[in-house]
Amino acid sequence: TSPSLSQKPKSELVRTSLRLLTSSAYRLQSECKKTLPVETCPTTDIQLVTQQVIQCAYDIAKAAKQLVTITTKENNN
């Protein structure tokens, strides 16, 4: 049985949210490593790294909220 049109957008939204979540988590890990003493070099702009960490955390929260919204709507139907 093929999925109905109403199911397809939900699954695409879930995939999109999961991609954002995983890519943001990977970026967050990468940015945080830049603050470690071993990784830090004199040219490391800590303010820029901090802004990147904040943006990654925001993207993770956004993706998580999207997933909660999707699953809540799905469970209420």
Side-chain angles (χ1 to χ4, degrees):
T1 323
S2 63
S4 70
L5 290 176
S6 64
Q7 290 175 328
K8 188 171 172 123
K10 282 183 198 168
S11 64
E12 188 55 40
L13 285 172
V14 169
R15 278 195 291 277
T16 301
S17 297
L18 288 173
R19 276 195 295 270
L20 177 61
L21 189 58
T22 53
S23 65
S24 298
Y26 180 78
R27 279 183 50 228
L28 179 62
Q29 182 184 27
S30 175
E31 293 298 332
C32 287
K33 279 184 179 178
K34 292 178 186 177
T35 65
L36 297 175
V38 177
E39 300 263 339
T40 305
C41 64
T43 59
T44 301
D45 184 347
I46 296 299
Q47 187 174 7
L48 179 61
V49 172
T50 301
Q51 289 172 349
Q52 293 298 320
V53 167
I54 291 168
Q55 184 62 51
C56 293
Y58 173 82
D59 289 340
I60 289 169
K62 180 179 168 183
K65 183 181 178 188
Q66 288 172 350
L67 288 171
V68 168
T69 301
I70 293 163
T71 54
T72 300
K73 284 182 182 176
E74 202 170 81
N75 291 338
N76 289 337
N77 288 338

